[in-house]
Amino acid sequence: MDGLEVSACERCPELVESRSQIVNGTGPEDADVLFVGEGPGAQEDSQGEPFVGRSGSVLDDQLRTVGLDRETVRITNCVRCRPPENRDPNKTELQNCRSYLEAEIELLDPDVIVTLGKVPTEHLLGRSAAVTKEAGTVEEVRIDGTPRRVLICVHPAATLYDRSQSSTFEETIQTAADLAGVSNEATDGSGGQSRLGEF
Ligand code: URA
């Protein structure tokens, strides 16, 4: 690992086969908010950047709405290589990639880590989670010995197949902006807090 970039890794034989490249995190190394997804999909694998496909558009739109532009946050994944047929990364693969994620968290030292979906939520909290129910909840957890604030969020893709999850997603991203101290005067004129009441 060179800074936050993994340039060569062969820890997961199946993923080495299925990936076309390693997809590192993107965004400033001092970002206040770190979004953690599951792993690269087809678009991410071909472009070499996390959340650039349909899920990425959902995320980008909501980031913009709350005044948290994509360029100002860091976005990464639990595993950096695309699993075959978009299956979930298995426990061994998650563990193999964990040191890279921990190093990224340590270097960034974010105000809040937002877990996008079940896999990153359970991976970072170290317990099973009902993400739809728990979305919007903040939990403090030790990651590599340091207490970190984790905000549970549904995966942006969940809003594409279940519209009822859109408001949960939107509210949680607003909470992320609030926790990072970002206000969006353009949309609410009141520093961000009161928007929660609109949903
Ligand atoms: N879904 C994820 O979990 N990560 C990505 O990078 C893209 C889609």
Side-chain angles (χ1 to χ4, degrees):
M1 196 162 185
D2 175 19
L4 296 179
E5 302 284 294
V6 179
S7 51
C9 179
E10 309 228 317
R11 292 178 189 172
C12 306
E14 266 196 79
L15 303 197
V16 170
E17 274 297 304
S18 59
R19 76 180 180 208
S20 45
Q21 60 183 315
I22 296 170
V23 179
N24 285 296
T26 186
E29 300 191 359
D30 61 352
D32 292 335
V33 186
L34 173 65
F35 289 89
V36 183
E38 180 179 312
Q43 288 291 326
E44 290 75 21
D45 178 67
S46 83
Q47 293 184 45
E49 193 174 321
F51 285 97
V52 288
R54 285 183 76 200
S55 303
S57 313
V58 174
L59 179 61
D60 289 353
D61 286 350
Q62 193 54 28
L63 288 176
R64 217 172 297 116
T65 301
V66 304
L68 262 182
D69 276 334
R70 183 179 172 102
E71 291 68 36
T72 68
V73 301
R74 185 140 185 115
I75 307 176
T76 196
N77 277 306
C78 291
V79 300
R80 293 173 190 241
C81 300
R82 183 193 183 195
E85 273 116 48
N86 291 337
R87 68 157 169 75
D88 287 355
N90 64 37
K91 280 210 163 64
T92 308
E93 291 158 353
L94 286 166
Q95 215 41 53
N96 286 345
C97 218
R98 174 116 190 167
S99 61
Y100 303 137
L101 179 59
E102 287 184 351
E104 192 165 17
I105 292 169
E106 173 88 27
L107 234 137
L108 213 67
D109 192 22
D111 290 343
V112 59
I113 299 170
V114 186
T115 51
L116 298 171
K118 192 176 181 71
V119 169
T121 301
E122 296 191 338
H123 187 48
L124 287 181
L125 296 184
R127 63 168 175 85
S128 56
V131 172
T132 313
K133 269 200 204 141
E134 295 184 54
T137 309
V138 178
E139 195 163 313
E140 194 170 281
V141 65
R142 278 188 181 272
I143 299 174
D144 201 20
T146 307
R148 301 287 179 191
R149 198 153 61 160
V150 172
L151 170 62
I152 301 171
C153 188
V154 296
H155 195 282
T159 67
L160 297 171
Y161 55 77
D162 177 0
R163 297 296 304 164
S164 73
Q165 301 216 29
S166 294
S167 57
T168 309
F169 178 73
E170 291 163 7
E171 286 171 22
T172 307
I173 302 300
Q174 179 63 58
T175 302
D178 293 343
L179 289 170
V182 173
S183 67
N184 191 355
E185 312 259 327
T187 54
D188 69 5
S190 66
Q193 297 290 339
S194 72
R195 288 198 81 243
L196 289 172
E198 285 174 25
F199 292 99

